[in-house]
Amino acid sequence: MQDVPSLIAQAREGRPRAVARLISLVEGASPQLREVMAELAPLTGGAYVVGLTGSPGVGKSTSTSALVGAYRRQGRRVGVLAVDPSSPFSGGALLGDRVRMSDHSSDPGVYIRSMATRGHLGGLAWAAPQAIRVLDAAGCDVVLVETVGVGQSEVEIAAQADTSVVLLAPGMGDGIQAAKAGILEIGDVYVVNKADRDGADATARELNHMLGLGESRAPGDWRPPIVKTVASRGEGVDEVVEALEKHRLWMTERGVLTDRRRARAAHEIEMIAVTALRERIGDLRGDRRVGALAEKVVSGALDPYRAADELVAGITER
């Protein structure tokens, strides 16, 4: 058993091993997780959470690394959650984002963690909200959440971040893919990376046109900016940070930031409750009640919806 108060105290002092152990408790769904979250609750709320998403190959990890550098030049502590595809054998992360961000590996003001999706749709590990809370409580001013490019279900990043950054690149058919995936509905800032390639201006124009076809905006509403970057050379990264800060200020002034965080907490509560119910249902698979209800459905004495209602009623009464 871990000494949770001691771990949290060490994490707040900036000790990476303590942060790693806390996130491991989260990922492993440790019996101590409730204690961890209870201790962290009053220490959170200070970090600005930025989600980065986009199709594979647009340079998410390179862009994330460049953003880390920009924020560190401002003296801010940065946490990175790089959510990778899961190994079908071990459940561990396949990609080596920490290798790609090796420039920051020795910086005590940066904490980088790869997390496995473990098959969870949306590209985000189920433990991501709690891991974000750990980094927040550990004193990170900015938490960057880089998600695996899984296409349509990747819009889940919008439920986890204060600001969502959608990355595209020229020559990848991203305009059409963006329309299909619905990511034009979730982006607060759009970045056309690899802008030194042919077609970058055309991609930006197409994106601007597609954004213009969206819902009409009232005066004062946020208009997502489009920033062109060459992340591998650090070009345009400061402009991205500037756009992020403008969006943060706009949200703060209008109460949008509080609303988003409240919605995020509501979603997290719902997921924890659903997980608990699912575990209870799993415990009932060999239960006589389930078998009896199944027999009634097969015989036509009961429809599956009423059978499910009876099962849920039995679970919630426990």
Side-chain angles (χ1 to χ4, degrees):
M1 298 289 283
Q2 302 279 359
D3 182 350
V4 171
S6 176
L7 277 180
I8 292 174
Q10 292 175 37
R12 288 181 65 76
E13 292 173 1
R15 299 188 186 182
R17 286 188 179 182
V19 177
R21 286 175 182 170
L22 286 170
I23 294 181
S24 293
L25 290 176
V26 169
E27 284 193 292
S30 167
Q32 292 183 284
L33 187 52
R34 287 178 179 270
E35 181 186 358
V36 171
M37 290 299 115
E39 293 279 345
L40 291 180
L43 305 175
T44 59
Y48 176 42
V49 183
V50 178
L52 293 98
T53 187
S55 304
V58 297
K60 290 190 294 294
S61 292
T62 305
S63 297
T64 300
S65 181
L67 282 173
V68 170
Y71 279 121
R72 289 299 292 144
R73 286 192 292 274
Q74 295 179 356
R76 302 194 192 187
R77 292 186 65 190
V78 184
V80 179
L81 286 181
V83 186
D84 290 338
S86 298
S87 163
F89 303 104
S90 67
L94 287 174
L95 301 181
D97 290 273
R98 280 171 289 189
V99 175
R100 279 177 279 175
M101 298 181 200
S102 57
D103 291 346
H104 310 292
S105 60
S106 60
D107 186 342
V110 179
Y111 182 85
I112 300 169
R113 175 76 172 224
S114 291
M115 296 181 70
T117 60
R118 300 176 191 270
H120 184 66
L121 289 178
L124 285 179
W126 69 272
Q130 288 85 3
I132 291 170
R133 189 171 284 109
V134 169
L135 294 174
D136 185 355
C140 290
D141 300 301
V142 180
V143 176
L144 303 176
V145 184
E146 177 202 329
T147 68
V148 56
V150 294
Q152 194 161 349
S153 57
E154 198 167 12
V155 297
E156 187 174 323
I157 183 60
Q160 305 294 344
D162 296 325
T163 297
S164 296
V165 178
V166 175
L167 287 100
L168 304 98
M172 300 184 68
D174 278 321
I176 297 173
Q177 291 303 315
K180 286 182 179 178
I183 58 175
L184 293 180
E185 298 172 7
I186 68 153
D188 299 305
V189 175
Y190 290 88
V191 174
V192 177
N193 189 33
K194 305 181 181 181
D196 52 341
R197 292 185 177 180
D198 291 339
D201 291 338
T203 299
R205 284 196 302 270
E206 181 182 5
L207 179 57
N208 187 56
H209 174 68
M210 295 177 74
L211 288 172
L213 295 176
E215 296 181 5
S216 58
R217 295 179 176 84
D221 283 356
W222 178 254
R223 166 77 182 186
I226 300 170
V227 184
K228 289 187 289 186
T229 65
V230 184
S232 60
R233 299 202 296 258
E235 296 176 9
V237 177
D238 288 339
E239 286 80 359
V240 175
V241 171
E242 183 181 350
L244 291 173
E245 290 304 306
K246 285 181 178 178
H247 185 243
R248 182 180 188 177
L249 180 62
W250 177 87
M251 289 191 296
T252 302
E253 290 177 344
R254 289 162 176 76
V256 175
L257 184 58
T258 300
D259 290 343
R260 287 193 175 191
R261 291 181 173 179
R262 189 181 296 118
R264 192 160 77 213
H267 178 72
E268 186 178 358
I269 292 167
E270 180 183 329
M271 291 303 297
I272 292 171
V274 168
T275 299
L277 288 172
R278 188 174 294 141
E279 287 175 353
R280 289 190 180 183
I281 291 173
D283 292 340
L284 289 174
R285 281 179 182 161
D287 194 286
R288 292 179 181 177
R289 284 175 294 175
V290 179
L293 288 170
E295 286 184 13
K296 289 182 179 180
V297 171
V298 171
S299 68
L302 199 65
D303 68 84
Y305 286 94
R306 286 190 58 191
D309 288 341
E310 289 189 23
L311 180 60
V312 170
I315 293 171
T316 54
E317 286 171 5
R318 293 171 62 188

